[in-house]
Amino acid sequence: MSPTDETDRALLRIDGLDAGYGEALVLDDLELSMGVEALAVVGRNGMGKTTLCQTILGMVPQRSGSITFDGTDLGPLATEARARTGIGYVPQGRRLFRSLTVDEHLAMLEPGTRGKRWTAEAVYDLFPRLAERKRSGGGDLSGGEQQMLAVGRALLLNSSLLIMDEPSEGLAPTIVDVMIDVVRRLVDEGVAVLVVEQNLQAAAAMADRVSIMVSGRIELETSPDTLTADVDLQRRYLGVGQH
């Protein structure tokens, strides 16, 4: 495939992106592109992975460079307008309302889902445990149930790109497997998924490609199989096995 073909098929394209907080530069000339696939961004703590998510969403201002999504330059757009272009977000820490029930969380977005793929009913079909807990408050759910709800809430936007920040964090292995299955199902249905992960095994199971982030840049792109098989590569870029 030629470079021109690669550019034409990119759903999300980031060129020369600089971003940070105050005077601190976190993302430094970052380049990234993806189509309808699952792309995992991995790296040690403090490398800028969450900042990347938040900059795509407009929560952290970009200083230079460009972010293009589905042909639209996101630079001038506020966070709400970026979401309306078709970008959903599952934040690290879930950010649920403790006093609202599962049903109430989903009901906030239900009016815009009529005739679309993802409705509250479809979310309950995907996560039967949430259907059992629909009258429970967000603060009464287990960590796994909270993550299911955070994903379900994002799905109700029926976005063409879903950004997931540390979706396996603090979850039992059985729930991690559920999240892996959800990511693969979404890609099969034509939704692009950008996953930021600290859990290497989960990232590799979710992703079609892996980008390794070092000091605010994408240092290396590789396949999940290559990364999981190459211990030296893991040690060099991710610190696996080092103390």
Side-chain angles (χ1 to χ4, degrees):
M1 178 177 290
S2 71
T4 300
D5 292 335
E6 178 71 22
T7 300
D8 289 344
R9 75 182 185 90
L11 179 66
L12 175 69
R13 186 172 185 85
I14 300 175
D15 292 302
L17 181 63
D18 289 357
Y21 308 90
E23 296 183 357
L25 185 66
V26 179
L27 304 181
D28 182 13
D29 197 28
L30 185 141
E31 305 277 339
L32 180 146
S33 67
M34 66 178 296
V36 178
E37 60 183 316
L39 174 64
V41 176
V42 301
R44 305 186 197 200
N45 287 332
M47 293 295 104
K49 301 186 300 298
T50 292
T51 301
L52 171 61
C53 297
Q54 294 178 343
T55 305
I56 294 171
L57 290 155
M59 301 163 67
V60 174
Q62 61 193 72
R63 299 181 184 179
S64 61
S66 65
I67 306 173
T68 304
F69 174 69
D70 200 15
T72 298
D73 179 10
L74 298 184
L77 302 183
T79 297
E80 296 81 3
R82 295 185 188 208
R84 286 195 295 271
T85 66
I87 303 175
Y89 184 39
V90 182
Q92 185 178 18
R94 293 127 196 178
R95 299 183 192 173
L96 302 175
F97 297 99
R98 294 183 61 83
S99 61
L100 292 186
T101 66
V102 170
D103 239 3
E104 288 168 338
H105 274 92
L106 300 182
M108 288 190 292
L109 296 169
E110 178 72 8
T113 65
R114 186 179 298 275
K116 296 183 179 179
R117 166 65 180 92
W118 289 103
T119 62
E121 183 178 354
V123 170
Y124 286 137
D125 287 342
L126 181 66
F127 298 121
R129 181 58 179 164
L130 287 185
E132 298 171 4
R133 301 278 278 157
K134 61 171 59 178
R135 292 180 176 82
S136 299
D140 297 324
L141 303 177
S142 68
E145 292 164 348
Q146 289 181 358
Q147 188 67 1
M148 292 176 192
L149 180 53
V151 172
R153 180 180 59 183
L155 290 177
L156 291 186
L157 294 174
N158 283 279
S159 302
S160 52
L161 169 64
L162 187 65
I163 298 174
M164 305 177 74
D165 192 358
E166 302 289 357
S168 74
E169 185 177 50
L171 301 184
T174 54
I175 306 300
V176 174
D177 288 342
V178 170
M179 292 299 128
I180 293 169
D181 289 342
V182 167
V183 169
R184 299 312 316 168
R185 175 172 172 173
L186 289 173
V187 174
D188 288 343
E189 293 187 8
V191 178
V193 184
L194 177 61
V195 178
V196 164
E197 258 297 349
Q198 197 70 18
N199 182 330
L200 176 59
Q201 296 302 321
M206 291 176 183
D208 300 298
R209 290 190 297 131
V210 179
S211 293
I212 300 176
M213 198 166 184
V214 178
S215 300
R217 296 186 178 189
I218 301 300
E219 191 72 16
L220 180 70
E221 289 194 352
T222 187
S223 70
D225 289 344
T226 297
L227 182 58
T228 54
D230 193 332
V231 176
D232 289 338
L233 186 65
Q234 296 172 27
R235 288 173 176 165
R236 188 180 322 132
Y237 290 110
L238 306 175
V240 175
Q242 296 181 352
H243 303 280

